[in-house]
Structure formats: C-alpha cells, structure tokens
Amino acid sequence: NQMIILSRQIKGEGRGHKVGFPTINLAVSPDLVLEDGIYAVWVVINDVTYKGALHYGPIPTFGQKDKTMEVHLLDVTDSNAPDTEGVEIEVDVVSLLRGVRTFSSAEELALQIDLDVKNVRLILK
C-alpha cells in the first residue's frame, strides 16, 4: 500500500546543508496522514527518479515543534542537483525507517542520518 505525496519545494532553514545532508523542504498538505518519522522514498523530479530519505514531523534536536517535511536525495551534489523551483515533486513512500528522535547534537544527528541513508540504500534497489 504505497503512498504517493505530490508537493512543491518551500524555503527551508538550511540546516540540512550544515550537517552535510542538504534537503528539499516540501509543502505539507493539511490533509496529509503520515506517521512522524524517517522514510525510504523514491522521489520523482522532472521525470528523473532519485532515492531519498524523507523526514516528516517535528525536529526536536533543533527545538522545532511544527511538523515539516523534507527529503534528502541520495547521490545528488550541488553539481547535479535537479532544478526544483516551481516544479511538482512526487514522493513515493516505501518504508518507515524509524521514528523522530531527539539528538544531543547536530553531529549525533548527522551520524544517524548517515545510518538512515545506508538503510535507504538497502531498501531501495
């Protein structure tokens, strides 16, 4: 029972870039029903499919209570990043990796994201 989310990029805080995992911040539809957590997802942008790690929910490590949705594209760098401005972004939710947790530091969070990305690679073949 795969869930597909259609969204657009919105301005983020730029925190993902700082911890080494840049993300695309996505507009959250008010009728979205999704458990808070980190997911393995396929992301389709301009007819190109990427492997992604999706975060949905609050960001307690940074004291943020509002739910946000952002996706890190695997194997994408600044040089080959897709142009996402004004483009519909399709997120195909495949599997929940873990729940949202609070980390004691940005470094600890980055280590966990690294692990999450490894798990996404195992799930998305």
Side-chain angles (χ1 to χ4, degrees):
N1 185 13
Q2 211 166 345
M3 176 185 223
I4 294 181
I5 301 166
L6 297 177
S7 188
R8 290 187 180 279
Q9 181 171 17
I10 56 171
K11 183 91 184 89
E13 301 282 335
R15 284 190 293 241
H17 226 284
K18 289 192 190 92
V19 294
F21 294 94
T23 60
I24 299 168
N25 293 266
L26 300 169
V28 179
S29 160
D31 55 5
L32 177 68
V33 179
L34 186 66
E35 184 183 337
D36 291 0
I38 310 302
Y39 293 84
V41 297
W42 293 107
V43 184
V44 183
I45 302 170
N46 297 323
D47 297 324
V48 179
T49 302
Y50 302 89
K51 293 176 180 180
L54 180 79
H55 164 97
Y56 175 69
I59 307 176
T61 302
F62 294 109
Q64 183 177 313
K65 292 183 175 54
D66 294 336
K67 290 191 182 197
T68 60
M69 183 163 56
E70 53 188 313
V71 66
H72 169 70
L73 303 180
L74 276 60
D75 308 315
V76 169
T77 61
D78 288 342
S79 61
N80 68 350
D83 181 13
T84 52
E85 202 165 314
V87 175
E88 185 173 73
I89 297 170
E90 177 184 315
V91 179
D92 301 353
V93 179
V94 177
S95 176
L96 175 66
L97 295 177
R98 64 176 174 88
V100 171
R101 303 213 314 265
T102 303
F103 297 91
S104 58
S105 65
E107 292 74 25
E108 199 183 303
L109 174 63
L111 289 170
Q112 179 62 55
I113 296 171
D114 191 52
L115 198 59
D116 294 339
V117 165
K118 288 187 173 81
N119 286 328
V120 167
R121 289 189 196 285
L122 295 173
I123 292 165
L124 303 179
K125 297 288 187 216

